Amino acid sequence: MKKRIAIFASGSGSNAQKIMEHFKYSDTAEVALILSNNPESYVLQRADNFEIPSHVFDRHDFFQTDDIVKLLKNLNIDLIVLAGFLWLVPENLLKAFPNKIINIHPALLPKFGGKGMYGDRVHKAILEAKESEHGITIHFVNEHFDEGEVIYQAKFKVESGDTLEIIKFKGQQLEHLHYPKVIENLLKKYN
């Protein structure tokens, strides 16, 4: 029986797209649901293009009820993947899916992580700090922003003259290459 993935995203959903592409013809796993806290997010169109159901929720649903947990349990979700999802995951969801929620962060954690550190904010901080390397971190999710156990990291060299757009592009290339593979390898470990 195929493993079932739920992806949470708040924005464009380029990582979600790569994950949907990766598992589209897979015998081992499938993306069963896309969830978003943003009814205007492009990830919902991407889900529609792949004929994958989507669900939009608000702060109340996510933080004050068990509706999301029930939905995911009813769909027999094996792994929750955060792909550009900007809210802290509540305790009820963490307890319902222990070590089965992962996130991707556009930096080499523990550097440049934490509340408010996402997207261009991270890349600008890297440039301002004159870091010589940059990269991505895939990690388990816990009750704190970007502090869960690291699963995988990939790096690239920051060249002199690299702009925000260049390091953002290099990072996204790593995200799109590695996130689907890490998800697949994780799912192989689950019964």
Side-chain angles (χ1 to χ4, degrees), residues 36-145:
S36 184
N37 57 330
N38 177 2
E40 304 297 316
S41 64
Y42 189 66
V43 74
L44 299 171
Q45 180 61 53
R46 293 181 194 265
D48 197 42
N49 293 344
F50 279 83
E51 298 181 346
I52 293 172
S54 60
H55 179 78
V56 177
F57 57 90
D58 60 22
R59 271 190 182 281
H60 179 266
D61 294 342
F62 196 58
F63 292 109
Q64 308 297 324
T65 74
D66 284 327
D67 293 354
I68 301 298
V69 171
K70 288 175 188 167
L71 174 65
L72 296 168
K73 290 286 189 187
N74 286 341
L75 291 174
N76 298 311
I77 297 300
D78 295 291
L79 182 68
I80 297 170
V81 174
L82 308 185
F85 183 69
L86 303 180
W87 289 356
L88 194 64
V89 175
E91 190 177 339
N92 63 338
L93 195 52
L94 291 170
K95 282 185 175 171
F97 292 90
N99 291 321
K100 295 202 173 160
I101 306 174
I102 65 171
N103 183 44
I104 191 161
H105 185 75
L108 296 168
L109 292 173
K111 286 183 166 184
F112 304 101
K115 185 173 173 64
M117 290 302 285
Y118 59 87
D120 285 355
R121 293 176 180 192
V122 172
H123 304 306
K124 285 176 185 167
I126 297 287
L127 288 172
E128 286 170 10
K130 298 189 181 342
E131 292 288 310
S132 60
E133 64 180 14
H134 189 19
I136 63 164
T137 302
I138 299 167
H139 63 92
F140 286 107
V141 173
N142 66 16
E143 63 276 8
H144 304 287
F145 282 111

Side-chain angles (χ1 to χ4, degrees), residues 4-24:
R4 295 170 61 80
I5 302 162
I7 301 174
F8 283 74
S10 298
S12 163
S14 66
N15 273 312
Q17 169 98 21
K18 293 299 179 187
I19 296 163
M20 289 184 280
E21 288 171 3
H22 185 86
F23 290 104
K24 183 173 173 111

